[in-house]
Amino acid sequence: REAGEATSRRDALALVFLTALSALIPQPAVADSTGKFTSKRTAKNRYVPRIKAGIAALKDDDEAVFAMIADDMIIAMQLYGQAQKRGETPDKISIRLEKDTAAFKEAAKSGDLAAARDKFKIYFEHLPKDGKEPFGDGMAPREEEE
């Protein structure tokens, strides 16, 4: 056998071993946040039911229920707002929704349900009006026609 052949086999075996090993090592998960329909659909399915539960408690003026689910609603609002960005980096829409969520959080933590409703209304008005509105009858809020 020539030295060149042994080296080639060794290199081939190393390549096969490394390829198999790389398949076994878990790769970091990366969320798709490019504004694709599937990303927005996933966000809607994950976060909107949690937000709707909070909306129901706010509408019913049920302080006890709202106090129990407020943290979950706030997190869902924050994540849903972040999912509204149009690319990989936060844009003016997602930044505005994060600020609206922070204002809602402050009102919700104070226990003032009326203020929390007002802050949620602002958050809702700042959601993109691109077709379907996730919290109601399926239609996006539209500008009043004059």
Side-chain angles (χ1 to χ4, degrees):
R1 293 183 190 179
E2 294 179 9
E5 282 184 43
T7 306
S8 297
R9 283 189 209 145
R10 197 173 302 135
D11 289 344
L13 286 174
L15 181 62
V16 168
F17 176 74
L18 290 174
T19 302
L21 183 63
S22 69
L24 297 175
I25 297 173
Q27 301 297 319
V30 179
D32 179 26
S33 59
T34 57
K36 294 181 182 175
F37 175 76
T38 54
S39 300
K40 291 184 185 286
R41 172 63 67 190
T42 300
K44 180 179 178 180
N45 291 340
R46 285 186 183 164
Y47 309 128
V48 169
R50 294 161 53 189
I51 296 170
K52 281 185 169 184
I55 293 169
L58 282 173
K59 285 183 179 177
D60 294 341
D61 277 333
D62 194 338
E63 290 182 33
V65 172
F66 183 72
M68 289 189 314
I69 62 174
D71 288 334
D72 190 47
M73 181 183 181
I74 291 164
I75 291 168
M77 287 172 62
Q78 193 170 29
L79 294 170
Y80 190 71
Q82 290 171 0
Q84 301 307 310
K85 62 186 173 186
R86 304 281 188 218
E88 290 295 323
T89 58
D91 58 7
K92 65 181 181 178
I93 295 170
S94 61
I95 291 169
R96 182 175 54 205
L97 290 170
E98 284 185 41
K99 289 179 183 176
D100 292 344
T101 302
F104 175 82
K105 179 180 180 178
E106 187 177 318
K109 295 296 182 182
S110 74
D112 184 356
L113 294 185
R117 274 191 296 273
D118 291 342
K119 297 300 181 185
F120 182 79
K121 184 177 179 183
I122 293 168
Y123 174 88
F124 177 78
E125 288 171 356
H126 288 158
L127 284 171
K129 319 258 190 299
D130 55 1
K132 293 191 175 182
E133 179 275 306
F135 306 119
D137 61 3
M139 299 303 295
R142 303 205 187 276
E143 299 291 327
E144 292 296 322
E145 294 182 18
E146 296 178 18

